[in-house]
Amino acid sequence: LSIMKLSLALLATCATGAFAAKTKTFSQVRADSKFGMDLLSKSRRADEADEEETSWVAGYALKFQGCHHIAQWNAEAENDADAVRIETKRLARFRLCPIDSCSGDLAQGCKSSFGDYIVDMDIFLQTYMANKEEVDAENCENYAANQCDCAEEDAYGYAIERDDNFEAEDCEYKCFKNAGMSECYEERYYDSYGYQADMPENMKNIEVADYLECTQFDYDANDDGNNGRKLEDAGDDAAYFIGPYCSDQGGHIVLGMFTDEDCTEFADDYGGKETYKTMTSKNLPNSYDSIVDTSCYSCAGEQKQDGDGNYYNEELEACTTLVSDAGKCETYMANARGSDYINENACTYMEGIKVTTKNNIIIGGATTSNKVASAFIGIFSVSFVLLGSYVYYLKTKLDRGSINLTD
């Protein structure tokens, strides 16, 4: 009996927690409405007119929040019979958090003094990737200098005594590879004799940076050097395109293969992944894992000194570019920047495009693990096992009682 009471108590706790965690509903503006579509352009026009000062951006870090697709009428298709009538608009959402409070592990990034922004996905990706390359290059350089012990000279410019076969480039390659820092090196290819050689073209995969916007995939399956095969149901003039899209839950931006130049029609039911693999015998890069991670990227640039001898950081161009091009909701920045200097033109619009999963659960963007939810799942699982054990115990007692009555 005590086991059953414990099980019921645990189940009640789970139910209480579940109801307490229900998401509040909001009055929403349809993302594909004319009102919603105009908000971003109005926000940008206001900024262009005011030419707002952006040095404040240096005190913030950028955190990817999620992405969203909306369908809209293609005005340019009215005079073109072959053009797509309904086009897909891809948007990316990001947040600026104070540098000292931005957390990559927190889905929201931060909980106060932040600004939310929404921008065209192509613009976001190109700017994000350009900035990430610079960040990676700096991190790789620092890691090599402090962790790899591959320098040929010491801090005073004197040559360091090394083995005759020592090569700084080989040393750094092994150091980065052992550390799992794939962004710092290019994978090497060795021929059948064990000598380093140029990697054959048919073994190379595409570069993600070449497909940050919808681009035709140039591939010849009839080339004897390729390992893939021609698709049985594809004509000789069949064209395929590769480009980014927002995954189902709205938390990832991944690559897909499409059959149209606007990247709206998938090449298969799996986001084009199977078609690409059939054609090339390779996996489509970033078709599962997101191109954009959920780390916090500082918007503080190079440190400089003003005329009074005070040091300050310049703002990164990548951050100012995204902020100037984006629709803005800077309500929670009012205390830090002043209510006269914030922009709230896109707040209502962003409220209307909450990312929703297939199970109709509203989420705020890029997903991270939820420890509270995991705890409730664990408690429910334990409760289920205990309750099942008690039912089995009761059944066993009843069976024994039946046997005694028969005797």
Side-chain angles (χ1 to χ4, degrees), residues 53-60 99 138 298-306 309-317 319-320:
E53 194 267 336
T54 58
S55 61
W56 59 269
V57 175
Y60 290 81
I99 289 179
E138 184 177 348
S298 172
C299 291
E302 183 181 355
Q303 190 177 67
K304 292 196 172 183
Q305 193 173 18
D306 62 21
N310 300 314
Y311 289 94
Y312 69 97
N313 288 99
E314 286 191 327
E315 64 275 20
L316 281 183
E317 184 180 353
C319 294
T320 57

Side-chain angles (χ1 to χ4, degrees), residues 287-354:
S287 56
Y288 291 97
D289 54 317
S290 182
I291 299 172
V292 181
D293 60 47
T294 57
S295 300
C296 292
Y297 286 90
S298 172
C299 291
E302 183 181 355
Q303 190 177 67
K304 292 196 172 183
Q305 193 173 18
D306 62 21
D308 297 326
N310 300 314
Y311 289 94
Y312 69 97
N313 288 99
E314 286 191 327
E315 64 275 20
L316 281 183
E317 184 180 353
C319 294
T320 57
T321 297
L322 287 177
V323 169
S324 63
D325 285 340
K328 304 170 182 61
C329 183
E330 299 173 335
T331 304
Y332 294 99
M333 284 182 166
N335 290 336
R337 294 176 53 204
S339 57
D340 292 336
Y341 298 96
I342 62 171
N343 188 322
E344 298 177 299
N345 286 343
C347 290
T348 306
Y349 178 79
M350 280 189 269
E351 196 65 68
I353 57 169
K354 294 288 184 182

Side-chain angles (χ1 to χ4, degrees), residues 202 217-231 236 238 279-280:
N202 67 314
F217 178 52
D218 186 15
Y219 183 80
D220 183 7
N222 296 317
D223 187 342
D224 293 335
N226 290 324
N227 297 323
R229 63 182 178 84
K230 186 176 179 180
L231 297 174
D236 293 334
M279 295 172 67
T280 67

